[in-house]
Every structure is written in C-alpha cells, then in structure tokens.
Amino acid sequence: MKKILVLTLVVALMVSMLLIGTSCTQEQATTEESAETEATETEAAETEAGSELIGVTMPTKSLQRWNQDGDNIKKQLEAKGYEVDLQYAENDVNTQLSQLENQITKGCKVLVIASIDGSALGEVLKKAADAGIKSIAYDRLIMETPNVDYYVSFDNFRVGEFQGKYIEEALGLDKGNGPFNIELVAGSPDDNNAFLFNAGAMSVLQPYIDNGQLVVVSGQTDFTTIATPAWKSETAQARMDNIITAHYAGGTKLDAVLCPNDSTAIGVIAALDNVGYGSADKPYPIITGQDCDIPNVIAIIEGKQAMSVFKDTRTLAAKAVEMVEAIINGTEVPVNNTEDYDNGVKVVPSFLCDPVVVTKDNYKEMLIDSGYYTEDQITK
Ligand code: BGC
C-alpha cells in the first residue's frame, strides 16, 4: 500500500513538472514572440527614421585619400540619419574579407566597398546577395562577380589621359619636339584602376614612343615590370633608384616620369632627391600624379612634381550616398554609364565623376577656394 502511495506521488510530481515545463516553454515563446514583434516595430521605426546600418570598407588608412573618402561618406550618411560601420583593412585582403563578413552578420543593408584585391570578393559578395544586401564598388571596380550592383568612381581612363596629355604638352611632343627620355611607372596589379590609368596615359604617349620622340631608356614598358604592388612609395622609390643607377648615372637627362598617382610620385621624387635632382644642372623631370595629397601639393608648389589629378572625394562620397539612399528607398539609382565597366562577368551600372588637372597655376582655385584644404595645410 505504502509502495502504491509513493508511486502515485512520484507520477503526480512528474506530471506537474511536465506541465510547469510546458508553461515555461510557452512563456518563453510568448516572450520571444513579443521581443520579435518589438524588434519588427523598432525596425519599422528605424526604417521611417532612415537609420539603417550601412557598411563602408576602405583599403587603408596609410594613404590620405582613403581617410578623406571614409570620413566624407560617414559624415554624409550620418547627416541623413543612417548608422555607419566604417572599416579600414590596412591593405590586407583577409582583414577586408572578415570586415565584410561582420558587416553582413551585423545586418548592414548596403555595403560600400573600396576593394584591396578587386578579384577576391566573389564569395563574400555572394553571401551578401543571398542575404538581400546590395553592394556598391567604390572607386575601384570589383571584378569577376555578378554580385556587385553599382560602381561609383571617377573616369579613370581620363585620369591617365590627363597625365599623358600633360607630358605631351609640356615637352611639346605635339609640335614634333624630341627625342626626350621618359620612365614609366604603373599602379598595383590587383587594382583594376591601375590598368585604366595606364591605358589612358599610354593612349597619348605610345605613338611618341613608337615614332622615337619618347625614349624609355630603361626599356621597361610592360605592365608587370613597371607595376607598383599596393601602390607603395618605397617600391616605386626602389625601382627608380635602380633605374637611375643603371641608366642615368652617366649624366643622361631624364625628361619625364609617368607616375599614376601621388604615392608613387613621392617614391620617385625621393629617389631623385637622393641623387641631387633639383639643382640648375639637374632639374626635376616632369612628374605626374593623382589625388592631390598634401605632400604632393607641397611638391607641386616647390616645383618637384608638375601636376596631380584632383578627384574631389567629397563629390565621390556624395554620389555614393545618393546611391545608398536610392537603394534603400527603392528609387532609381543614379548612373551615367551602363556600357563600359565590364567586370568579367557583367557590365556594372556606373556613375563616373569628372577629374580635374591641378598644377602650380590653379591649385589655389581648385583646392583652397573650394574649401578642400586650408592654406595652412599645404604650407610647409
Ligand atoms: C585610386 C587612386 C589611389 C590609388 C592608391 C586607386 O584605386 O583610384 O586615387 O591613388 O588607388 O590608393
């Protein structure tokens, strides 16, 4: 009898525990449900307030321009009520990949990406696309993937053309002058822009090399040989050091160096400074550049660098922000080129801004009057 009583008690206890358990699970479900409802409500409220999270990834802090790009995009997006996750990857592809993974996990609605290796983002962008996230290639085209939705940049072929034309006019090549000695520098082979800058410049210079008005004394003309991985000043300097020692030590005059951007121009200037260029009998050759970085604007004022191409990062950022807004609001995304930017898989709808040549003659108007720099910033 005692046994039966104990057994009944145990069964009763188990049944009541089960009941309590069920009600706990129900309670939990209800709590989860209401949390979910709250989250959806918050999300809806956020949508109304326009405070979605936008992921912005830049290649490196080590170059002035990317700091400006990042700051401008962040400022402009925040002014419109968006939240911004801004990341820099110090030119390391894997770091950039994990930053993008994080941004996908964090629920970014749009990714704005200035890639390090334009061909390395296929997998991560597939994940983004599967999660309904749109991607904008910023400044550098993202290659070999269908999952890049838009491209915003400057007309990069024209940047190169400007550099080539500057050399053409400064040496009077178009008037038949020559022969002149030139050396060629190109950008980073993992950056699609590097090929465009080079193609633009060579579209002007190649005919003069072919007809002998320009002589590449080192003989180094193919892209791989003249490329500067990661756009490093030190790499450009080391290559120029070698070229000077091997080909110009005996007093051969160097008339021009085609540099695709300011970081490579800085390296070339350093190599020339080390061997006494800048004196009356050894004037600086014509050196081109791009970005109007502060040290280069100073070099232009000092007569070391002849020109740079100004790509106003405020304009580029504003266009990227317009694209983000249009994507979020489901309105028409601004593009002005739907033909030329083929990334190997598709033609990416693009918006290209206009670059401008900056020299000693117009830097005040272009850079100071426009509020890009203060006079103090470019005074040594
Ligand atoms: C940009 C240039 C920059 C270079 C090095 C290119 O993709 O278009 O403005 O100088 O990268 O960062």
Side-chain angles (χ1 to χ4, degrees):
M1 184 64 198
K2 239 184 181 178
K3 255 189 191 166
I4 293 174
L5 201 75
V6 172
L7 221 109
T8 318
L9 272 171
V10 169
V11 171
L13 201 79
M14 277 169 72
V15 170
S16 65
M17 270 173 74
L18 254 170
L19 281 174
I20 293 169
T22 317
S23 80
C24 275
T25 324
Q26 267 170 1
E27 223 171 75
Q28 219 171 310
T30 324
T31 321
E32 268 168 19
E33 234 170 63
S34 69
E36 234 173 65
T37 322
E38 261 173 43
T40 323
E41 272 166 19
T42 322
E43 237 173 57
E46 275 178 7
T47 309
E48 272 159 34
S51 69
E52 287 88 351
L53 184 61
I54 310 297
V56 180
T57 40
M58 293 284 124
T60 174
K61 269 189 171 282
S62 69
L63 262 197
Q64 185 194 321
R65 73 151 293 182
W66 301 116
N67 293 279
Q68 282 165 338
D69 286 281
D71 285 352
N72 285 330
I73 303 175
K74 190 170 190 299
K75 248 190 256 156
Q76 293 181 26
L77 280 173
E78 283 175 350
K80 288 179 183 289
Y82 295 95
E83 279 179 40
V84 179
D85 182 62
L86 170 62
Q87 301 291 337
Y88 288 87
E90 288 325 302
N91 273 335
D92 183 63
V93 179
N94 288 328
T95 307
Q96 186 163 62
L97 286 173
S98 53
Q99 289 171 342
L100 287 165
E101 298 267 0
N102 275 339
Q103 290 180 336
I104 295 170
T105 314
K106 280 184 196 165
C108 286
K109 295 281 189 293
V110 180
L111 302 176
V112 179
I113 309 159
S115 57
I116 295 166
D117 180 341
S119 304
L121 304 183
E123 250 175 62
V124 77
L125 290 193
K126 164 110 184 42
K127 272 194 199 162
D130 289 348
I133 301 167
K134 297 279 185 207
S135 300
I136 301 174
Y138 183 86
D139 194 77
R140 300 171 170 175
L141 186 58
I142 296 173
M143 309 300 288
E144 309 297 339
T145 169
N147 297 312
V148 51
D149 298 285
Y150 299 98
Y151 177 44
V152 60
S153 187
F154 282 84
D155 184 337
N156 294 308
F157 185 88
R158 237 167 114 205
V159 170
E161 241 179 0
F162 280 165
Q163 295 164 340
K165 280 197 172 132
Y166 188 92
I167 293 176
E168 177 186 50
E169 277 170 34
L171 294 177
L173 297 169
D174 44 350
K175 297 189 184 81
N177 295 350
F180 294 106
N181 296 331
I182 189 170
E183 294 301 330
L184 309 172
V185 179
S188 190
D190 53 6
D191 179 352
N192 186 57
N193 285 352
F195 297 96
L196 296 172
F197 302 145
N198 187 253
M202 295 317 282
S203 72
V204 181
L205 301 177
Q206 190 63 51
Y208 298 115
I209 296 177
D210 294 342
N211 76 6
Q213 276 179 269
L214 283 178
V215 181
V216 184
V217 178
S218 68
Q220 298 178 9
T221 53
D222 74 284
F223 189 90
T224 314
T225 313
I226 66 173
T228 314
W231 300 91
K232 279 201 169 149
S233 303
E234 307 82 67
T235 310
Q237 178 175 353
R239 187 172 155 256
M240 200 64 211
D241 283 341
N242 289 337
I243 289 177
I244 295 169
T245 313
H247 303 282
Y248 293 87
T252 307
K253 189 161 181 268
L254 176 58
D255 298 295
V257 184
L258 170 73
C259 289
N261 82 330
D262 282 352
S263 64
T264 52
I266 284 293
V268 166
I269 293 170
L272 297 174
D273 279 343
N274 282 346
V275 290
Y277 276 79
S279 58
D281 57 330
K282 229 178 177 185
Y284 286 103
I286 292 155
I287 299 170
T288 59
Q290 147 180 215
D291 292 333
C292 289
D293 284 347
I294 288 173
N296 300 76
V297 179
I298 294 172
I300 288 175
I301 297 168
E302 289 177 342
K304 295 184 173 187
Q305 183 171 329
M307 61 87 81
S308 188
V309 179
F310 180 42
K311 303 191 302 183
D312 194 329
T313 52
R314 296 169 299 188
T315 314
L316 191 59
K319 202 41 85 178
V321 169
E322 264 182 54
M323 281 184 165
V324 169
E325 279 219 289
I327 291 170
I328 300 271
N329 296 333
T331 56
E332 203 179 319
V333 177
V335 292
N336 63 6
N337 187 312
T338 50
E339 279 170 19
D340 296 328
Y341 287 82
D342 191 330
N343 77 348
V345 174
K346 73 181 216 188
V347 174
V348 185
S350 306
F351 193 101
L352 302 173
C353 306
D354 288 328
V356 182
V357 171
V358 162
T359 65
K360 214 174 189 164
D361 297 332
N362 71 347
Y363 80 90
K364 277 204 170 125
E365 181 196 337
M366 300 314 305
L367 304 174
I368 312 289
D369 299 350
S370 76
Y372 200 70
Y373 293 136
T374 61
E375 191 91 49
D376 281 358
Q377 280 177 291
I378 53 164
T379 310
K380 224 182 169 184

